[in-house]
Amino acid sequence: MTASPDRVEAMLAAVGALDVLDATDVYWAGRLTLCGSPDDLDRYDAAFAAYFGGEAPRPSRSAAQPDRQLATTAPLEPGTGESDDGEQPPELAGTASGDEVLRHRDVAEMSLAERDHLRRLFALLVPAAPMRASRRRRPSAHGAVHASRTVRHALHDGGEVTRLLHRRARPRPRRVVLLIDVSGSMSPYADALLRFAHAAVRAHPAATEVFTIGTRLTRVTRELRMRDPDKALAASGHAIPDWSGGTRLGDVLKAFLDRWGQRGTARGAVIVVCSDGWERGGTEVLAEQMARLHRLAHAVVWVNPHKGREGYEPLTGGMQAALPSVDHFVAGHSMAAFEELAGVISRA
C-alpha cells in the first residue's frame, strides 16, 4: 500500500496506545491508519494474515467489482471500525454481527465457508501461557536482599554499606500439555482442536506439548511447530494412525503417564484433555489414571465439546470416572469457547 509517512506515524502512535501483544489491537491499529481507500483493505488483510498467521498472500479482487465486502480475516468486535460521524456503516455492522454469531456457532454445524472463516480467526488467536515462579533469582529493584552482592558492593566503598541490593524470582512459562481425542465421535471437532493446539505451540513452542489419543498415543508437537497451520495439520494427519477410530482413554492415559508423564512432562504442568468421554474399555482404568494424572499435574482441564449444548449433563461412564480428578470442566465447541479455554489455561 502507498502509506505516507504520516500514516506510518499514526500507526505507531495507535499501537503505542493499545496492547502491542494483542493481535486484534495490532490489526485495527494498522487497518484504521494505513488503509487509505477500499482497495487497500484486501491487500492489508492478506499481508496481515501472511505475517501473523502464516498464510500465503492471495491476489486482491479487482476494484471494478461493486459488491465489495469486508475481508473475512478481520477480527470484528463491537465498537470497532466506526466511521468519522460515530455511526457504523451498514455493511460493516452486518459483517460484525455475522462474525459475532459465527464465534458462538457450534463447529460441528458449520458450513465449509464458515469453517474457512473460522480458520482465519484461529490465525489471530495467541493463547497466553500460565506462569510459574522460577527457582533462579535475578537482580531486581525490589524483593529479598541479596546479601553477597550487597557485601561485594560495600567492599568497593571501603566496607561501608551504602546501598542494599535486591533479587527475586522471575516468572517462567509453565508447561502446557494437550491430549486431543481424534476418535470417530470427536471427528467433527478434531480439526478445530488441532488448530487451537497449533496456535498454542506457535505462541510458546518450548513450553507446549501436544499428543493425540484414541486407540493409541501419538506425539504431534514437532508437526504442529510448522508455521503454516494447514501444512501443520496435514503433517499431523499423516502422523496419526488412529484417526476416527475407537476410544481407549484409560489405556492411552496410562501409556502417556508411563512413557512421558512420570518422567517429567506432566509434573507441574497444566494438562488439557480434549475428549467427549466415550470410553470403549472399562472406566476403572480411566478413573485410576486420571487420579494419577491429577497427582502429577499442576492443574487438569477437561474440554468436552458437548458441554456447550443446552441441557448437557456428563452422564457417560468416562466422564463420571474422570470428573473427580478434573479442576476445570469447560466446553470446546465454538470460537468463543476456545477463547474461554485460552483464558482458563493462562489463569491455571
Side-chain angles (χ1 to χ4, degrees):
M1 297 179 296
T2 56
S4 57
D6 59 332
R7 288 186 177 274
V8 176
E9 185 177 355
M11 160 69 173
L12 297 177
V15 172
L18 300 172
D19 184 1
V20 71
L21 299 180
D22 190 321
T24 303
D25 286 356
V26 175
Y27 173 88
W28 284 109
R31 189 178 186 276
L32 297 177
T33 56
L34 298 179
C35 298
S37 68
D39 294 336
D40 291 338
L41 298 180
D42 286 343
R43 302 189 187 103
Y44 176 79
D45 287 338
F48 190 92
Y51 187 85
F52 289 99
E55 297 183 12
R58 290 170 297 192
S60 60
R61 293 171 293 178
S62 172
Q65 289 182 331
D67 56 340
R68 184 169 302 280
Q69 301 288 333
L70 184 66
T72 56
T73 54
L76 301 176
E77 294 182 354
T80 57
E82 295 185 350
S83 57
D84 294 337
D85 57 359
E87 296 181 358
Q88 261 192 339
E91 180 178 306
L92 178 58
T95 310
S97 176
D99 185 86
E100 185 64 22
V101 171
L102 184 65
R103 288 180 61 253
H104 293 84
R105 282 284 303 277
D106 194 309
V107 174
E109 301 174 355
M110 288 185 178
S111 63
L112 292 178
E114 290 172 335
R115 286 178 179 271
D116 183 68
H117 192 130
L118 185 70
R119 175 176 61 85
R120 301 174 188 277
L121 293 179
F122 268 116
L124 301 176
L125 183 64
V126 184
M131 306 302 291
R132 65 178 178 87
S134 172
R135 292 183 179 181
R136 179 174 297 180
R137 298 186 178 185
R138 298 184 179 182
S140 174
H142 306 282
V145 175
H146 196 322
S148 59
R149 290 186 64 240
T150 300
V151 172
R152 287 197 301 268
H153 186 271
L155 294 177
H156 292 286
D157 294 336
E160 182 177 356
V161 178
T162 59
R163 178 186 175 190
L164 292 178
L165 301 179
H166 303 267
R167 64 176 180 175
R168 65 177 177 179
R170 293 187 179 180
R172 296 180 58 186
R174 184 182 294 277
R175 183 182 295 109
V176 176
V177 181
L178 293 104
L179 304 175
I180 300 176
D181 190 343
V182 293
S183 61
S185 61
M186 285 289 293
S187 57
Y189 302 96
D191 181 84
L193 289 168
L194 285 173
R195 290 188 182 277
F196 177 85
H198 175 264
V201 171
R202 289 290 302 167
H204 307 281
T208 307
E209 289 283 349
V210 183
F211 298 83
T212 60
I213 56 178
T215 57
R216 60 182 298 175
L217 179 73
T218 306
R219 182 174 181 262
V220 292
T221 307
R222 179 179 300 178
E223 289 76 7
L224 291 179
R225 284 176 181 166
M226 301 175 66
R227 179 173 180 178
D228 185 271
D230 293 326
K231 293 182 179 179
L233 263 67
S236 300
H238 289 299
I240 300 172
D242 55 339
W243 189 279
S244 296
T247 311
R248 295 167 51 194
L249 294 178
D251 295 336
V252 173
L253 279 178
K254 184 178 186 305
F256 166 73
L257 291 171
D258 290 344
R259 183 176 178 182
W260 299 90
Q262 201 74 36
R263 298 183 179 182
T265 303
R267 290 184 181 275
V270 177
I271 309 296
V272 183
V273 183
C274 306
S275 175
D276 55 5
W278 285 100
E279 172 63 296
R280 190 177 68 179
T283 58
E284 296 82 5
V285 177
L286 177 59
E288 179 184 350
Q289 298 306 316
M290 284 298 299
R292 181 182 170 194
L293 178 66
H294 190 262
R295 289 193 297 268
L296 288 173
H298 174 72
V300 178
V301 181
W302 192 288
V303 182
N304 189 332
H306 301 311
K307 187 179 185 295
R309 297 179 180 178
E310 185 177 356
Y312 168 79
E313 294 183 10
L315 301 179
T316 61
M319 290 307 310
Q320 291 289 329
L323 282 179
S325 302
V326 171
D327 297 301
H328 305 279
F329 185 39
V330 299
H333 67 296
S334 65
M335 188 65 197
F338 287 121
E339 294 171 352
E340 179 185 355
L341 171 60
V344 169
I345 295 174
S346 66
R347 295 189 300 268

